[in-house]
């Protein structure tokens, strides 16, 4: 009956009905409005019929009344957007009052039904932008206020529509009415959006801001985007600093709330919702700062005012990245960030926490992170470079899921490798630190970047020895990597291993000395990494062939072909294997390869049977000793070989090291040989190894020190004393950790011998001015500059003068003491010497001077 009454009333004023598409048809809207204004009877009839439809239960007919209608000839064009029959009727003053009252009544009585139709939204759409008089406006406001408080089902729609329904003069009343719903479930965002659309004066705006800030403690993170949008849009210079501080604090509290996952499906959804809410929050911050330069400046001042690391939070990292995105503030952000990092206020741990917990939102700033990290890696301050390393590593670890994130990782890796070509050593160190960390933590993920990793080899000529060592260790970790954790299965990156081993072979075969040393560093690093792998854990190819291949590579190119490089090679092998040996993870096959080779060569090269009777040329004689270390005889033999080579210039220089059955190796390899042998013996202990501690040394009669000698003879004496000092130092390093009291006593006695030998070398050096160490002691091709001799202190001093002033130029070539060697200061064993004094004083003086 309602549909029939409505259609009959519309036909009288010329509005038809299209049964095909369900639209009302009107040939001319202006003509329709004119007819309604002229005919009071038609207007009254149509108003009664329309009100019955609005307040009735037929929502389908109501929706048709509020749907778009066709204008013009039937089926000539689709319905025009914005032209609805109800809208046209509301534009007629005689009909407006009754229709508005009907619409408001329908809203108050709405119970959430309507099925597929959003009836409240359609009703409120027709209340917007009506030309109401003051009385009608007042009635509308009061009716909507009453509906807000009494009908929860339409509250959100009414709040969103109020700024368009109510005229500007009543916007302050609207603000007071809707701000009370800020903390209601599901209403926060719509209230703030409505507040943003209100035209308020300054006083009313401050009141709205105050009410919004008071509600921050009780709203959820998902509601923060509209909060930020409203506050940043409405901020004024007077309220800027206070408002931003409260906003930062509240946002930080929201991010610190504990996460309590439910069922797996719920947990995944909550994590996704959290990431979405966080990204929307960042977008709101970014938009507000982009269009409010004064707010950006205020945020920079606020971050600058934070004085301790404990008070900085993840929000500060976000704000700095947002501001770095703005070209006008980029320089100021870099300056502030570097000062904060250098002062320890913004720490790498803070960025690590940000990357681990908010990797999804953080990826929004991937371009800024890439540029910022690239800039900070060049910074002169070490703390800033360490922070840049953290940025790169954590971003690389966190951004790995999507294809776009993979492209970001590739770009970052290319930038880091490019820093190896820098002229700044600090910058190269930072780049190597990043790469080494990636090799240790995400090596399996790096297999897809093998071609980029090969590019590291192009920069080997630009690196210092330590940097070269670090680069080869990193490449070795990439070539042999664990799948999961420290206990996971080892895998082989065959493409990278092939190129790396080929490069090492070329370097070892290169006639230039520098490249041979670099090749030895690479071979030792690769062998050290390979030594970690048990035989049954590498997938392909057969692991034993690789181990044997690397060992043969070293023995053929160094031990047999160029034995003068042996000291350096042994030290490199020790350094590469030392950390693995501590955790007892060396391959048993490597121990089997090294042990017989090292022991046989060691005994045959440097030791003879100890005589039964004491001799003046045997120093530190012990009756129970079984072996004697030949130092002075080997020095003499070596000098004879040098003279023989000088007389035969056509012989190869390596004949110096192969001129006899005894001195087959350079004497400089004595200490590195002992060091490497001690490492193998630690994993395969043998009782005979302890015989080397405190063994007698075959030198020369001590009376020779009081005689005058030729320059050559004096150099022989100095060189013998130098090698004896090196031996004593290395035995202290090797044997200092023994628990046996007897061996501890020997170690302490070695310190006494060390003091004596250094004093004698000091006296011997005074007799010659042309003493120089052999070439193999320190390869100058790997040193940029030698360490300058220490200058004596100026002015009076309460300490006694140094007893070894002439030893200063040799200090850089002496074997360094391990830090652990200083534990012998705590030994309780005390050995008497000929002067009846204890060794403890000499021990403290000697080690403190070193």
């Amino acid at each position: 009956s309602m549909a029939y009454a409505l259609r009959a009333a519309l036909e009288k004023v010329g509005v038809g009905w299209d049964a095909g598409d369900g639209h009302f048809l009107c040939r001319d809207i202006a003509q329709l409005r004119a007819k309604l204004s002229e005919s009071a009877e038609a207007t009254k009839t149509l108003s009664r019929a329309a009100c019955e439809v609005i307040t009735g239960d037929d929502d389908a007919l109501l929706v048709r009344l509020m749907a778009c209608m066709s204008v013009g000839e039937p089926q000539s064009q689709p319905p025009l957007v914005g032209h609805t029959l109800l809208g046209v009727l509301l534009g007629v003053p005689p009909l407006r009052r009754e229709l508005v009252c009907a619409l408001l009544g329908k809203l108050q009585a709405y119970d959430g039904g309507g099925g597929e139709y959003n009836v409240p939204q359609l009703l409120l759409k027709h209340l917007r932008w009506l030309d109401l008089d003051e009385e009608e406006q007042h009635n509308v406001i009061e009716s909507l206020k009453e509906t807000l408080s009494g009908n929860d089902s339409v509250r959100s729609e009414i709040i969103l529509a109020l700024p368009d329904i109510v005229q500007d003069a009543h916007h302050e009343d609207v603000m007071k009415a809707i701000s009370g719903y800020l903390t209601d479930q599901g209403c926060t965002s719509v209230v703030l959006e409505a507040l943003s659309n209100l035209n308020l004066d300054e006083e009313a705006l401050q009141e709205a801001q105050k009410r919004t800030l008071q509600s921050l403690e009780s709203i959820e993170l998902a509601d923060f985007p509209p909060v930020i949008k409203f506050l940043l849009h409405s901020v004024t210079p007077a309220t800027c600093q206070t408002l931003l501080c409260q906003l930062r604090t509240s946002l930080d509290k929201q991010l610190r709330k504990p996460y309590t996952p439910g069922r797996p499906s719920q947990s995944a959804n909550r994590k996704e919702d959290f990431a979405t809410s966080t990204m929307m929050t960042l977008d709101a911050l970014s938009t507000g700062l982009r269009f409010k330069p004064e707010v950006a400046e205020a945020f920079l001042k606020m971050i600058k005012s934070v004085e301790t690391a404990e008070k900085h939070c993840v929000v500060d990292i976000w704000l700095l990245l947002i501001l770095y995105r703005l070209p006008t503030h980029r320089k100021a952000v870099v300056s502030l960030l570097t000062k904060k990092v250098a002062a320890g206020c913004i720490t790498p741990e803070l960025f690590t926490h940000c990357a681990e917990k908010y990797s999804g939102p953080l990826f929004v700033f991937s371009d800024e992170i890439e540029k910022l990290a690239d800039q900070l890696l060049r910074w002169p301050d070490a703390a800033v470079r360490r922070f840049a390393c953290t940025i790169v590593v954590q971003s690389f670890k966190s951004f790995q899921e999507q294809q776009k994130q993979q492209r970001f990782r590739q770009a970052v890796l290319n930038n880091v490798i490019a820093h190896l070509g820098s002229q700044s050593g600090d910058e190269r160190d930072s780049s190597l630190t990043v790469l080494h960390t990636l090799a240790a933590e995400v090596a399996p993920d790096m297999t897809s970047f093998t071609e980029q990793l090969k590019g590291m080899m192009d920069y080997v000529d630009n690196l210092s020895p330590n940097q070269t060592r670090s680069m080869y260790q990193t490449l070795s970790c990439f070539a042999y990597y664990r799948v999961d954790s420290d206990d996971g299965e080892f895998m082989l990156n065959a493409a990278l291993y092939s190129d790396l081993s080929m490069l090492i072979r070329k370097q070892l075969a290169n006639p230039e000395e520098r490249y041979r040393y670099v090749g030895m560093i690479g071979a030792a690093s690769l062998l050290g990494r390979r030594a970690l792998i048990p035989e049954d854990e590498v997938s392909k190819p057969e692991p034993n062939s690789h181990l044997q291949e690397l060992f043969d590579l070293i023995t053929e190119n160094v031990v047999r072909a160029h034995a003068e490089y042996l000291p350096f090679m042994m030290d490199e092998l020790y350094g590469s294997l030392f950390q693995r040996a501590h955790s007892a993870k060396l391959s048993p096959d490597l121990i089997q390869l090294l042990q017989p080779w090292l022991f046989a060569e060691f005994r045959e090269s440097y030791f003879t049977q100890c005589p039964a009777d004491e001799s003046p040329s045997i120093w530190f004689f012990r009756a129970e000793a079984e072996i004697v270390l030949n130092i002075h005889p080997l020095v003499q033999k070596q000098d004879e070989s040098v003279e023989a080579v000088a007389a035969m210039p056509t012989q190869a220089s390596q004949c110096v090291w192969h001129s006899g059955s005894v001195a087959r190796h350079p004497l400089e390899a004595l200490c590195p040989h002992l060091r490497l042998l001690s490492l193998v013996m630690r994993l395969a202990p043998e009782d005979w190894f302890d015989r080397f501690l405190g063994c007698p040394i075959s030198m020369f009669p001590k009376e020779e020190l009081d005689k005058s000698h030729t320059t050559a003879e004096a150099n022989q004496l100095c060189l013998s004393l130098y090698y004896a000092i090196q031996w004593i130092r290395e035995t202290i390093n090797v044997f200092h950790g023994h628990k046996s009291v007897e061996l501890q006593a020997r170690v302490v006695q070695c310190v006494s011998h060390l003091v004596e030998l250094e004093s004698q070398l000091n006296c011997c050096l005074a007799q010659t001015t042309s003493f120089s160490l052999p070439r193999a002691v320190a390869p100058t091709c790997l040193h940029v500059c030698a360490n300058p001799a220490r200058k004596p202190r100026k002015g009076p001093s309460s300490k006694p003068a140094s007893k070894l002033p002439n030893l200063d130029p040799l200090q850089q070539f002496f074997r360094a003491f391990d830090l652990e060697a200083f534990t012998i200061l705590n030994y309780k064993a005390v050995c008497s010497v000929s002067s009846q004094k204890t060794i403890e004083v000499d021990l403290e003086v000697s080690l403190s001077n070193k």
Side-chain angles (χ1 to χ4, degrees):
S1 60
M2 288 188 296
Y4 177 79
L6 179 62
R7 290 177 60 180
L10 289 173
E11 287 177 354
K12 291 181 180 180
V13 293
V15 176
W17 172 260
D18 188 354
D21 56 7
H23 293 290
F24 289 101
L25 300 176
C26 178
R27 296 181 179 274
D28 191 341
I29 293 178
Q31 185 180 3
L32 172 62
R33 287 175 176 171
K35 288 182 179 181
L36 291 174
S37 300
E38 294 173 357
S39 175
E41 183 179 354
T43 301
K44 186 176 181 180
T45 303
L46 184 57
S47 176
R48 187 185 306 111
C51 289
E52 289 178 357
V53 173
I54 293 173
T55 58
D57 298 331
D58 191 351
D59 287 338
L61 182 60
L62 175 59
V63 169
R64 289 181 180 179
L65 181 64
M66 296 185 290
C68 296
M69 65 177 182
S70 300
V71 179
E73 297 297 331
Q75 299 180 352
S76 61
Q77 56 185 355
L80 297 179
V81 177
H83 292 290
T84 67
L85 181 58
L86 183 57
V88 173
L89 298 180
L90 285 170
V92 180
L95 294 174
R96 184 182 304 142
R97 182 182 295 271
E98 293 183 9
L99 292 178
V100 168
C101 292
L103 291 174
L104 295 174
K106 181 68 173 181
L107 282 173
Q108 289 180 346
Y110 184 73
D111 58 357
E116 58 180 325
Y117 307 113
N118 191 340
V119 175
Q121 189 176 24
L122 293 173
L123 293 173
L124 291 168
K125 174 184 175 182
H126 288 83
L127 290 175
R128 295 181 178 185
W129 302 297
L130 293 179
D131 188 13
L132 304 177
D133 56 30
E134 189 65 25
E135 182 181 356
E136 292 173 336
Q137 187 77 40
H138 177 75
N139 293 336
V140 169
I141 294 175
E142 294 301 322
S143 177
L144 291 177
K145 283 182 180 180
E146 183 178 351
T147 306
L148 280 175
S149 60
N151 193 341
D152 297 343
S153 59
V154 296
R155 182 175 295 160
S156 297
E157 284 81 2
I158 293 176
I159 292 174
L160 283 174
L162 272 174
D164 298 330
I165 295 173
V166 180
Q167 296 177 359
D168 290 357
H170 300 277
H171 276 191
E172 185 173 350
D173 295 335
V174 172
M175 181 271 295
K176 294 178 181 179
I178 65 176
S179 58
Y181 301 102
L182 271 170
T183 57
D184 284 10
Q185 183 73 22
C187 288
T188 303
S189 58
V190 295
V191 170
L192 289 168
E193 185 173 347
L195 289 176
S196 300
N197 295 326
L198 293 176
N199 187 12
L200 303 174
D201 57 23
E202 185 174 353
E203 184 177 352
L205 189 59
Q206 290 181 3
E207 179 66 22
Q209 291 175 354
K210 181 180 178 181
R211 296 191 179 197
T212 304
L213 291 173
Q214 290 174 348
S215 66
L216 286 177
E217 298 293 335
S218 56
I219 65 176
E220 298 295 329
L221 181 62
D223 296 324
F224 258 83
V227 171
I228 294 172
K229 178 183 177 183
F230 169 71
L231 291 177
L232 295 186
H233 175 73
S234 61
V235 70
T236 61
T239 61
C240 185
Q241 199 66 31
T242 304
L243 186 148
L244 296 183
C245 287
Q246 293 187 33
L247 178 61
R248 172 182 174 272
T249 303
S250 299
L251 186 55
D252 180 50
K253 289 181 179 179
Q254 283 290 331
L255 297 176
R256 291 177 184 269
K257 284 184 178 180
Y259 174 70
T260 54
R263 295 192 300 270
S265 59
Q266 294 178 344
S267 176
N269 292 335
R270 290 189 62 184
K271 287 183 178 179
E272 184 177 351
D273 293 343
F274 179 81
T276 302
S277 301
T278 307
M279 285 190 283
M280 292 178 64
T281 301
L282 291 176
D283 184 67
L285 279 172
S286 181
T287 303
L289 295 180
R290 186 185 304 118
F291 297 107
K292 288 277 188 175
E294 64 277 8
V295 176
E297 294 291 341
F299 268 129
L300 281 175
K301 292 179 181 179
M302 181 183 63
I303 297 174
K304 185 178 181 180
S305 64
V306 181
E307 298 178 351
T308 61
E310 292 77 14
K311 294 181 180 179
H312 276 291
C313 57
V314 172
V315 180
D316 296 335
I317 298 293
W318 287 350
L319 290 173
L320 289 172
L321 290 173
I322 291 172
L323 293 171
Y324 185 81
R325 179 180 287 178
L326 307 178
T328 55
H329 293 82
R330 187 166 297 170
K331 187 175 180 180
V333 169
V334 173
S335 176
L336 176 60
L337 179 60
T338 52
K339 290 178 181 177
K340 285 285 185 179
V341 172
C345 295
I346 295 181
T347 62
E349 290 75 18
L350 178 61
F351 189 87
T352 300
H353 172 69
C354 181
E356 290 177 349
K357 190 172 182 181
Y358 311 103
S359 59
L362 195 63
F363 185 69
V364 175
F365 305 104
S366 58
D367 293 340
E368 287 71 30
I369 290 174
E370 179 185 348
K371 295 175 184 177
L372 181 62
D374 190 60
Q375 188 173 357
L376 296 184
L377 281 173
R378 298 186 175 92
W379 211 260
D381 190 277
V384 177
R385 293 196 304 273
R386 285 194 297 271
F387 186 79
C389 294
T390 302
I391 292 178
V392 175
V393 171
Q394 294 302 325
S395 302
F396 203 95
K397 291 169 61 178
S398 302
F399 306 154
Q400 55 181 328
E401 297 178 357
Q402 302 175 5
Q403 183 178 2
K404 186 177 180 181
Q405 293 177 343
Q406 284 292 91
R407 289 196 296 268
F408 164 80
R409 300 173 89 197
Q410 181 175 346
V412 168
L413 184 61
N414 287 335
N415 289 341
V416 172
I417 293 176
H419 284 283
L420 294 176
S422 170
Q423 296 301 314
S424 170
D426 293 335
E427 187 177 336
R428 296 195 298 269
D429 285 336
S430 300
S431 176
L432 288 168
T433 300
V434 172
L435 293 168
H436 193 74
T437 306
L438 293 176
E441 298 184 8
V442 291
D445 297 335
M446 303 295 289
T447 54
S448 57
F449 305 109
T450 299
E451 293 303 319
Q452 283 77 19
L453 294 176
K454 290 179 182 179
M456 295 172 60
M457 305 177 197
D458 298 335
Y459 297 100
V460 67
D461 292 342
N462 194 45
L463 304 179
S464 68
N466 286 336
Q467 292 170 346
T468 302
R469 193 171 293 110
S470 177
M471 186 197 74
Y472 275 118
Q473 289 173 354
T474 302
L475 286 172
S476 300
C477 291
F478 286 133
Y480 286 114
Y481 62 91
R482 288 191 185 274
V483 177
D484 295 320
S485 61
D486 292 339
D487 298 327
E489 180 186 3
F490 268 97
M491 299 293 290
L492 173 67
N493 187 336
L496 182 59
Y497 175 83
S498 176
D499 282 23
L500 183 58
S501 59
M502 184 182 300
L503 175 64
I504 293 173
R505 285 182 179 278
K506 290 181 179 179
Q507 289 170 339
L508 289 175
N510 196 300
E512 292 189 31
E513 193 175 54
R514 180 182 186 278
Y515 288 106
R516 287 180 181 172
Y517 281 110
V518 172
M520 285 187 281
I521 293 174
S525 299
L526 193 56
L527 181 64
R529 181 64 178 176
R530 175 59 187 86
L532 267 175
I533 307 168
E535 290 305 315
D536 56 348
E537 285 196 7
V538 179
S539 58
K540 58 180 182 180
E542 183 64 26
N544 188 52
S545 63
H546 280 176
L547 187 60
Q548 187 67 49
E549 177 187 351
L550 291 171
F551 187 77
D552 293 342
L553 184 66
I554 293 173
T555 54
E556 291 174 5
N557 289 277
V558 179
V559 179
R560 298 169 186 167
H562 302 283
E564 66 269 25
Y565 299 123
L566 191 62
F568 184 84
M569 186 70 235
M570 287 185 169
D571 276 334
E572 286 298 320
L573 276 176
Y574 177 83
S576 181
L577 299 174
F578 177 70
Q579 295 297 332
R580 284 93 180 184
H582 266 299
S583 56
K585 291 184 178 179
L586 288 180
S587 171
D589 277 359
L590 180 65
I591 298 176
Q592 293 177 8
L593 287 172
L594 289 177
Q595 186 174 352
W597 169 66
L598 288 176
F599 177 65
E601 297 288 344
F602 195 59
R603 285 292 303 269
E604 295 176 13
S605 298
Y606 307 114
F607 294 90
T608 58
Q609 194 71 23
C610 181
D613 300 327
E614 185 175 0
S615 171
S617 60
I618 304 296
W619 292 19
F620 316 128
F621 179 79
R622 291 189 299 110
E624 66 274 15
E626 301 178 17
I627 54 176
V628 174
L629 174 62
N630 288 326
I631 288 186
H632 191 64
L634 292 179
V635 170
Q636 292 177 321
K637 190 71 174 179
Q638 184 170 301
D639 286 348
E640 293 174 4
S641 300
V642 172
E643 293 174 2
V645 171
M648 297 180 293
T650 57
Q651 296 289 332
S653 60
Q654 58 263 30
C655 290
V656 174
W657 315 109
H658 297 272
S659 57
S661 61
V662 178
R664 293 179 303 162
H665 290 164
L667 197 55
E668 289 79 17
L670 171 64
C671 294
H673 206 149
L674 174 66
R675 189 81 154 176
L676 187 58
L677 183 61
S678 70
L679 185 65
V680 177
M681 292 300 103
R682 186 183 305 166
L683 300 180
E686 297 287 348
D687 294 338
W688 55 259
F689 186 65
D690 296 338
R691 292 178 292 178
F692 295 124
L693 176 59
C695 70
I697 303 176
S698 178
M699 295 288 286
F700 47 82
K702 294 184 180 180
E703 293 79 9
E704 295 292 328
L705 295 172
D706 300 327
K707 299 178 182 179
S708 59
H709 300 279
T710 63
T711 300
E713 293 173 342
N715 285 343
Q716 280 189 359
L717 298 181
C718 291
L719 193 57
S720 297
L721 289 169
Y722 169 81
Y723 287 136
I725 290 172
Q726 294 286 65
W727 169 258
I728 296 295
R729 281 172 166 259
E730 200 57 59
T731 54
I732 293 174
N733 282 334
V734 169
F735 292 99
H736 70 270
H738 274 282
K739 304 299 182 182
S740 169
V741 176
E742 179 185 356
L743 294 180
Q744 288 181 1
R746 286 195 207 173
V747 173
V748 174
Q749 196 170 29
C750 285
V751 180
S752 175
H753 297 163
L754 177 63
V755 175
E756 179 183 349
L757 287 170
E758 289 184 346
S759 176
Q760 291 166 345
L761 178 58
N762 182 44
C763 296
C764 194
L765 287 173
Q767 301 180 18
T768 180
T769 58
S770 61
F771 173 70
S772 61
L773 295 174
R775 173 71 176 81
V777 171
T780 56
C781 61
L782 281 179
H783 293 270
V784 178
C785 61
N787 294 327
R790 302 174 189 170
K791 297 181 180 180
R793 294 182 180 178
K794 297 182 179 179
S797 175
S798 59
K799 297 183 179 180
S802 173
K803 297 181 181 179
L804 307 173
N806 293 330
L807 292 184
D808 285 345
L810 299 178
Q811 293 292 345
Q812 59 178 316
F813 302 114
F814 281 147
R815 303 290 290 186
F817 285 117
D818 296 340
L819 290 177
E820 294 82 359
F822 288 87
T823 57
I824 64 177
L825 292 170
N826 298 323
Y827 284 177
K828 302 301 181 183
V830 178
C831 302
S832 298
V833 293
S834 59
S835 61
Q836 302 300 318
K837 295 182 179 180
T838 62
I839 201 72
E840 290 181 346
V841 176
D842 288 336
L843 174 124
E844 292 181 5
V845 172
S846 177
L847 291 186
S848 62
N849 286 339
K850 304 304 175 291

